């Protein structure tokens, strides 16, 4: 193997990262108003960011679900 291929193997994708705070994400296909959840982009200490589709505008958007543990309940 070359050095370049070894470097690529050590790269961690945002999808592979597991946050210490593991919120239960909304499932793909779930509707939030006019937005349809496509996938999870990432999650961390304050919530989850989703890739979604805006049905009115016909384009993809990002939605941040703000969930600080001390303040929020879904």
């Amino acid at each position: 193997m070359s050095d370049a291929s070894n470097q690529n193997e050590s790269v961690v994708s945002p999808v592979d990262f597991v946050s210490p705070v593991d919120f239960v994400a909304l499932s793909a296909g779930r509707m939030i108003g006019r937005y349809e959840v496509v996938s999870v982009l990432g999650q961390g200490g304050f919530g989850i960011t989703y890739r979604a589709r805006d049905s009115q505008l016909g384009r993809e958007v990002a939605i941040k679900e703000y969930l600080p543990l001390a303040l929020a309940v879904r």
Side-chain angles (χ1 to χ4, degrees), residues 26-27 29-37 50 52-57 61 63 65:
L26 298 173
S27 59
R30 176 77 180 261
M31 294 299 293
I32 306 170
R34 70 185 205 205
Y35 304 99
E36 179 183 358
V37 173
Y50 299 94
R53 180 125 184 107
D54 183 328
S55 61
Q56 187 174 355
L57 298 178
V61 298
I63 297 175
E65 183 175 30

Side-chain angles (χ1 to χ4, degrees), residues 2-73:
S2 70
D3 289 335
S5 64
N6 288 338
Q7 289 174 348
N8 289 337
E9 291 175 0
S10 66
V11 174
V12 177
S13 164
V15 176
D16 297 332
F17 179 76
V18 177
S19 170
V21 178
D22 193 18
F23 295 115
V24 177
L26 298 173
S27 59
R30 176 77 180 261
M31 294 299 293
I32 306 170
R34 70 185 205 205
Y35 304 99
E36 179 183 358
V37 173
V38 174
S39 64
V40 173
L41 290 174
Q43 63 182 15
F46 285 101
I48 305 172
T49 303
Y50 299 94
R51 183 173 132 214
R53 180 125 184 107
D54 183 328
S55 61
Q56 187 174 355
L57 298 178
R59 65 179 182 182
E60 290 194 347
V61 298
I63 297 175
K64 177 73 175 195
E65 183 175 30
Y66 184 61
L67 293 170
L69 293 176
L71 302 174
V73 178

